[in-house]
Amino acid sequence: TMASVTSSSQAPVSAAPAPRKVALEDQSAVKRAIDECVIKSVFMAGYPEDHSMSDYKIAIGFLSCAIALVAQFYPLPFPDNKWLLATCCTLYFIGSGVLQFMVTYIEKDTIMITHPKSDPQWLSPLGLHVSSRMPLHDEMYTVSITSSRSAAHHTTPIERSFSVGTCFDSNGVLHEDVIEKHIAMMIRDFEVKKTK
């Protein structure tokens, strides 16, 4: 029939992604939405994410859980297993302490660490270390980009601060293009700085 011919000749139209909407009174949700957009923008610029830190934390967490399982289910009655329990508790405490140290003193405000840019013409071996902060009850969001190597963290980072009011409308819809422009300019400045 004519209707079937018409419908079959039409190319499928992909639905546009729905704009992201957050509750503006929830500062954690606002920062998380901007952080995720920053990560997306860095990835779009050609910098693949380095998951090494996450892998280390997962490995330590898995090892700590395995130690807890040994303490719980090892077939030795109490009090014969008191030294085993003491050892497992000590190791579990150390593992938890290492994880807390990594989050508090190593990662800090980090939201992304990358490998070098995946571009044959980009000869620098440096990736990006991206961090962000947004003080409580403050509208200003600050993003910082520096080299991913720890020795390079003593260099002056490239920072940019902007009001979250420029990223959301009154209904809480996130304008990703605003954030993408900020990050693109920062990455361009970083690459120019590192090629000098």
Side-chain angles (χ1 to χ4, degrees), residues 126-148:
L126 300 175
L128 304 181
H129 182 277
V130 186
S131 58
S132 70
R133 62 183 183 275
M134 184 177 174
L136 190 63
H137 307 308
D138 196 330
E139 66 168 324
M140 299 304 295
Y141 176 94
T142 301
V143 59
S144 172
I145 295 179
T146 187
S147 301
S148 58

Side-chain angles (χ1 to χ4, degrees), residues 17-134:
R20 179 162 186 173
K21 187 175 182 179
V22 301
L24 296 178
E25 65 274 10
D26 187 346
Q27 186 175 7
S28 297
V30 169
K31 183 179 184 300
R32 183 166 55 252
I34 300 177
D35 284 346
E36 292 176 358
C37 188
V38 169
I39 293 172
K40 175 185 173 183
S41 302
V42 171
F43 185 77
M44 289 171 57
Y47 288 88
E49 187 170 3
D50 183 355
H51 299 282
S52 299
M53 184 63 69
S54 296
D55 293 341
Y56 293 148
K57 292 194 297 182
I58 291 173
I60 294 172
F62 179 82
L63 183 60
S64 298
C65 291
I67 291 171
L69 289 174
V70 170
Q72 179 68 27
F73 297 108
Y74 193 81
L76 191 64
F78 187 83
D80 296 337
N81 65 346
K82 61 182 180 181
W83 289 110
L84 175 65
L85 292 177
T87 301
C88 289
C89 289
T90 301
L91 292 176
Y92 185 85
F93 176 79
I94 292 173
S96 299
V98 170
L99 283 176
Q100 189 62 43
F101 178 85
M102 293 172 68
V103 171
T104 305
Y105 296 103
I106 298 179
E107 286 189 328
K108 297 182 179 179
D109 298 323
T110 300
I111 59 174
M112 185 182 192
I113 299 176
T114 77
H115 292 290
K117 190 173 185 178
S118 54
D119 185 343
Q121 297 181 349
W122 179 248
L123 302 179
S124 174
L126 300 175
L128 304 181
H129 182 277
V130 186
S131 58
S132 70
R133 62 183 183 275
M134 184 177 174

